Amino acid sequence: MNGLNIKQLLDEIIAQAMQQAGIEHPIAQIRQSQKLEFGHYQANGIMAAAKKNGYPPRVLAQKVTDILGDHAEFSFEIAGPGFINIRLKAAFIEQNIAQFSTTNSTSDGKQKTVVIDYSAPNLAKEMHIGHLRSTVIGDTAARVLESCNHKVVRANHVGDWGAQFGSLLAYLDQITVVGEEISSKLTDLEKFYQSASKLFRGDKEFAATARQYVVKLQSNDPQCYYLWEKFIGVSLDHCQSVYDKLNISLTIADVKAESAYNEDLPVIVKILQDKTLLTESDGAQCVFLDEFKGKNERPLPAIVRKSDGGYPYLATDLAATRHRSEIINADEVLYVVGASQQLHLRQVFAVARAAGFIGPEQIFRHLPFGLILKADGKPFKTRDGADVKLIDVLNEATDRALKLIKEKNSSMTEQEQLKVAEVVGIGAIKYAELSKNRTTDYIFDWDTMLSFEGNTAPYLQYAYTRIRSLFRKSSTDPSRLTNPISLQEDQEILLALRVLQLIEAIEAYLEDYQANILCNYLYELARSFMSFYEHCPILTESHQIKASRLQLANVTAQTLHSGLALLGIQTVERM
RNA sequence: GCGCUGGUAGCUCAGUUGGAUAGAGCAUCUGGCUACGAACCAGGAGGUCGGGGGUUCGAAUCCCUCCCAGCGCGCCA
């Protein structure tokens, strides 16, 4: 974003004044104040600097504020042990809100190519609740980076290879009559998976056949390959329908499946061998790096080829690093993968670096996330121990939203109600996910997850509809508003300031891709609007005030809309 | 055993990298709808920040130690 970053501006102004006061390498430590009585922003760096230079903190603070003098845009006040509380003058906010635009983008000018590895369902299973986090978190990162004009490569590293496909293909072959359309057998995927795995467990003959199919698949047997391709196609279509319903920006074109790296696997091993990184251990080809220790301080291998000649997923992941580094030429690669994979990914990155697959300037980074748990702290499963299907969660969400809509607003057409239920229900799920700290486990409870009150997506969406309603009521076209915004009431000033802080939220988000920072920002924005809306009449005011407040409401709506869009959450005109 | 996470209000979670009297939502209590939309607003109550040491002007945050929970630690992905 290249809009005004107030925090950054203040950082420069205060640091410069500190320097003039005799501080070397000053750090102003500007923060948004927690309480209004401490101003809009505060500088916390005076005390540390004073300490370091042997001044009494308040004396230094005085010196700095004297240098700053009677500023046109800010007022400064010394408080407590040596804080400088900063207040923005209304005129300053008015002037900047007039230039505000949500479509401004990146600052530092450097466009990066960022690969984001996310979602990555296993095609041998139906998508379940466990896929929600990676999918939603990764999609947000993709949207935010794109909004900052970076080039984003979405990489959906789907599992489409390996032993678990043996029984599926054997079963598919068994139930398919020659000449019959295969996809008709796969209309109910869930039933298909269950039948296949039931046979695999209960029928020894079938299990043996299934194992043969694994071998056949790996040796590119034509019939087997044909079945596999069909199966993968149907399975991917199923995933895509979930993505569409969830409003995820992934498409079929973003799929780069595990099998896509099959031909690279021997090459990877060869390179490792040529670089003398390989050691044979118990028949397996391993890379031993000093930094990895297993149980009892034994060296921990990264196994790139198993003793049976097969390749483990570490080999595939290595091939993927090479592709992303050398072919895509990524500046940064983000892996949105569960926290339990941490050691694995550390090994992947370390081996890839040792082998030269990753250049020294390239950043490969794991963005871990925790588990979704039940209220009792155990992993989230159905009563009989099965995974909860993602599509069921989404349907439950829209059903609940629809029910609520029917209670609250029956004037909409059936079709509109359904549309709004989708937007509200799906928004609630995504927001519930994104508003929590990425790295920790969290409790999934239907009622809190699908709550439509308080700090939730519907609250933000509701704020948006209230604004849209204002424009309907007053028959005003927001794009025709050209009048300036005049800020009188505290609620107006705080709301306008919030709007201007969007850029700070985005930059804070990009530090560590913690979406809850964006959520918190949007929630505070919506709250500020609600407060303004209650306190400041709009449509009943004189022309000038009315126009100003409508203008302020309009930039708020734009900010809510584009902020929610970064999270992949939509808005509606009515709800 | 070793490593990585985490332990904050009754519940679910924040806490901008060391700042002021630790904040939200839900639940609970008190007010506010012949509506610029009450999916809301204004306010109250609720805390030994797992325990104990330490570092300093200042600690939920950094260090040490102990307790508890989750995850990971050679050929599943």
Side-chain angles (χ1 to χ4, degrees), chain A residues 1-5 104-107 503:
Chain A
M1 310 279 291
N2 63 24
L4 172 77
N5 185 326
N104 284 346
S105 310
T106 61
S107 52
I503 183 171

Side-chain angles (χ1 to χ4, degrees), chain A residues 331-350:
Chain A
D331 296 300
E332 202 167 323
V333 184
L334 307 176
Y335 287 72
V336 187
V337 178
S340 63
Q341 298 294 315
Q342 197 222 48
L343 178 62
H344 166 72
L345 283 172
R346 273 183 52 217
Q347 281 189 299
V348 169
F349 299 157

